Structures are given as structure tokens and as C-alpha cells.
Amino acid sequence: MKIIHLNQIDSTNAYLIRENTEYDDMTFVETDYQTNGKGRENRTWLAQRGENSMFSILIKDKQLVEDYAALSILAALLVRNYLSSYVMDKVTIKWPNDVYVGDKKICGILLQGKIPAYLVIGIGINVNQKEFVGEYRATPTSLYLETNQIFDLAKFNKGLFIYIDEHLDLFKNGLYNPINEIRKYNYLKGKKTQYGVVVDINDDFSLKVEKEDGSTVDIQSGEISY
Ligand code: BTN
């Protein structure tokens, strides 16, 4: 694992995509501020300077890159587990890869890359932000708003990077099977979505939904509204 700190950058994802040939597998790039932070579906990711955790991980291991559906939800699970040691309220995963505290979003994840060459996992976690002004698709929250405490971001990130690094290694070596935890913390379970009622997450990490006529469909990816 290698960690690079940048005071400011357009986007840590865009940076690693540009520089992918320069860095090795498991390079973490963190920043204090993004001038052009990217969210899913062409949205922007906004965060005030120095308040939140924003980083990207470069993955070059062939097996992991090709298993990107697993990697996407596994990243959400690892953030969920790490955050649950700080927050009393229920921390869950909103399929495919958001992390929620109660009914509010605390973390978003954006996977980009060129399969099979490399993958960039971009993670944004609201840590010390006190106010969220403007329009948000999902109501945001932060660790500060949940706990009334300010966290040391450098320490927070370091602990999280070590946790992620260890668990991706275990997963790659077949020593960590996250499917039961992923099912246990499925925020959407039992909720009515535009596709029907969410039943479960399948072994291939797709979402199992029951339609009104009782038949089931598997959703492979995409935005879920409920
Ligand atoms: C989403 O919920 O829409 C995904 C948000 C992902 C944000 C992170 S912040 C670090 C990394 N760099 C980016 O430009 N985006 C991701």
C-alpha cells in the first residue's frame, strides 16, 4: 500500500486515471479539496476544504479488476464497517454502493477505469462537515452531525486505508467472503423501488426484486429510487 496526499486536485479519480501507468496496485490518493469532484451519473461531488474524507484507490490486480461488481459493494461494506465503530445509529449499504446512517447518506462511491487494465475506486465520506447547503439527491449526513464530534481526518483516513488494504487482500486470497454481511446490511431490503420490492442481494451481487405479479427480476446495476 502506498499513500499519496495532495492538498488540492480536480478529482482524485481523474488524477489516478490520468496517472494510472505511473502507480502500482493499491495506491491510495487522498486530498483536502477537489475542484471538480465527480459523483455517479455525471453529478458533482461537493465537499468543503479539509472537512471530509476524499480518496481514490488504484486497483491493478487482474482478478479484482474483473470482479468489479463485487469490488464496488465490498468497498461500501468496508466503509460501513469502519464507520459503524464511530456511530451509534444503524449504518447500512444502499445498493449498489452508498453508505447510509439511518435514512441519510454519509458516503458515496464511484468506480471508474479501463477493464482489465485498472480500476479506480473513488470514495467520499462526510466526516466533519456541519452544514449541507444546496440540492442533494439523498439527504446528507456526516460523522460530525451523527456524533457531535470533530475527527482527526489524517488518523481517520489512515485507519480506514489499513482496514481496506487488509480486507481487499483477504478477499483476493479467498479468505474473506463478504456476502452474508452485505445481505445483513442491505438498506433497501423490503423497500419498494421503481422495479418492485427488494428481496435480497444475489450471490453475484445483483439486486433481487419482486414485482407486483410475484415474479422476480435481478437488477445488475444502476440507480435505485424508492
Ligand atoms: C456518488 O455518490 O455519486 C459517488 C461520489 C464519489 C465521490 C468521491 S470523492 C473522491 C473521489 N474523487 C471523485 O471525484 N469522486 C470520488
Side-chain angles (χ1 to χ4, degrees):
M1 164 170 79
K2 178 177 182 168
I3 300 173
I4 292 166
H5 182 93
L6 304 172
N7 293 336
Q8 177 173 320
I9 191 75
D10 53 344
S11 144
T12 55
N13 267 34
Y15 176 78
L16 272 179
I17 290 170
R18 282 195 300 270
E19 305 288 331
N20 77 83
T21 54
E22 303 299 316
Y23 292 116
D24 293 332
D25 184 37
M26 296 310 290
T27 299
F28 288 67
V29 174
E30 58 175 11
T31 193
D32 298 333
Y33 188 65
Q34 296 188 135
T35 54
N36 190 17
K38 300 198 185 311
R40 278 206 313 270
E41 318 250 310
N42 267 323
R43 289 193 284 264
T44 49
W45 183 260
L46 297 171
Q48 284 161 29
R49 187 180 297 272
E51 295 198 337
N52 293 337
S53 172
M54 288 175 282
F55 62 96
S56 300
I57 314 163
L58 180 65
I59 307 284
K60 287 190 162 174
D61 176 87
K62 278 239 152 5
Q63 188 193 327
L64 282 187
V65 171
E66 276 168 13
D67 210 1
Y68 59 89
L71 209 54
S72 154
I73 200 156
L74 176 57
L77 175 71
L78 297 178
V79 172
R80 188 228 83 92
N81 287 350
Y82 189 71
L83 288 177
S84 72
S85 60
Y86 291 92
V87 179
M88 296 301 286
D89 205 347
K90 215 171 167 216
V91 193
T92 56
I93 306 162
K94 180 173 173 264
W95 188 94
N97 58 18
D98 287 340
V99 181
Y100 270 48
V101 177
D103 290 317
K104 295 176 183 165
K105 176 166 166 170
I106 194 161
C107 163
I109 299 179
L110 173 68
L111 258 74
Q112 296 182 287
K114 215 178 199 152
I115 295 155
Y118 72 93
L119 208 65
V120 173
I121 309 174
I123 302 183
I125 306 167
N126 302 326
V127 178
N128 291 324
Q129 193 160 332
K130 292 182 175 162
E131 271 183 329
F132 293 89
V133 274
E135 289 266 313
Y136 285 88
R137 201 162 175 284
T139 310
T141 190
S142 66
L143 267 190
Y144 171 81
L145 291 175
E146 296 299 323
T147 62
N148 253 313
Q149 285 176 54
I150 292 289
F151 295 86
D152 178 333
L153 258 187
K155 254 198 208 155
F156 175 90
N157 276 358
K158 188 78 197 287
L160 178 58
F161 296 174
I162 292 170
Y163 182 73
I164 292 176
D165 185 61
E166 279 173 2
H167 284 79
L168 289 188
D169 208 49
L170 290 172
F171 178 70
K172 198 164 62 189
N173 292 310
L175 299 171
Y176 177 49
N177 182 351
I179 188 71
N180 290 334
E181 277 177 277
I182 287 168
R183 289 196 170 119
K184 182 169 166 193
Y185 300 118
N186 178 6
Y187 174 78
L188 289 173
K189 190 167 182 165
K191 291 202 164 63
K192 200 170 168 19
T193 68
Q194 75 266 42
Y195 302 105
V197 176
V198 172
V199 184
D200 212 338
I201 291 170
N202 295 307
D203 288 344
D204 67 355
F205 305 102
S206 59
L207 193 69
K208 193 193 233 11
V209 171
E210 188 176 295
K211 294 201 285 190
E212 271 183 13
D213 64 8
S215 64
T216 58
V217 278
D218 297 332
I219 313 294
Q220 300 300 332
S221 70
E223 205 69 21
I224 296 291
S225 50
Y226 57 94

